[in-house]
């Protein structure tokens, strides 16, 4: 079970580290995921980045998010960091090796894409409206055509 905003208050004092952020939803998500990591959340499943204090999709292209040992943002075949493309309008994230021009196989790179897509969705939800691709997913779920 992960701590939520209400249980976080009971468990610990608020995280002063995020008090200066103007995006209250981002600050709350950072706090929740920090607490959840303490109780078992895999840090690679976060939708936020505690280092950059941003949504993951906003900073995943940073060299700090390349983890050679686990293969996160890494092409083992070419032994190089992988480029990240985030399309906020389409709600898509893709990885591509700059040498072989392919999406490197492996669970770590698929995990990066999943976490970034979840980050995009959480950020769009926080703006009070879904991105166009979010509305398409909702409409398809209802059997509607958009």
């Amino acid at each position: 079970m992960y701590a939520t905003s209400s249980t976080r208050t009971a468990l610990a004092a608020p995280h002063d580290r995020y008090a200066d952020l103007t995006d209250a939803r981002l600050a709350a998500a950072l706090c929740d995921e920090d607490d959840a990591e303490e109780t078992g959340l895999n840090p690679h499943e976060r939708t936020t980045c505690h280092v950059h204090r941003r949504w993951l999709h906003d900073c995943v292209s940073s060299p700090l998010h390349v983890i050679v040992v686990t293969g996160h943002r890494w092409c083992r075949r070419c032994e190089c960091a992988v480029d990240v493309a985030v399309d906020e309008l389409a709600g898509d994230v893709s990885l591509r090796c700059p040498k072989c021009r392919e999406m490197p196989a492996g669970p770590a790179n698929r995990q990066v894409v999943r976490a970034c897509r979840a980050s995009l969705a959480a950020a769009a939800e926080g703006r009070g409206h879904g991105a166009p691709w979010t509305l398409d997913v909702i409409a398809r779920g209802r059997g509607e055509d958009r």
Side-chain angles (χ1 to χ4, degrees), residues 31-81:
C31 289
D32 287 347
E33 288 185 347
D34 285 353
D35 291 344
E37 251 191 90
E38 295 295 322
T39 60
L41 174 69
N42 180 337
H44 299 296
E45 294 293 336
R46 290 181 67 121
T47 60
T48 63
C49 173
H50 70 277
V51 174
H52 295 109
R53 300 170 3 128
R54 300 180 62 94
W55 293 106
L56 179 63
H57 70 274
D58 286 334
C59 66
V60 71
S61 61
S62 165
L64 290 177
H65 289 284
V66 175
I67 308 172
V68 178
V69 174
T70 60
H72 288 83
R73 281 205 50 226
W74 187 254
C75 180
R76 290 187 175 161
R77 181 174 54 192
C78 299
E79 296 185 351
C80 69

Side-chain angles (χ1 to χ4, degrees), residues 76-97:
R76 290 187 175 161
R77 181 174 54 192
C78 299
E79 296 185 351
C80 69
V82 173
D83 295 330
V84 182
V86 177
D87 184 339
E88 291 191 44
L89 291 177
D92 196 23
V93 178
S94 61
L95 304 179
R96 187 176 74 162
C97 174

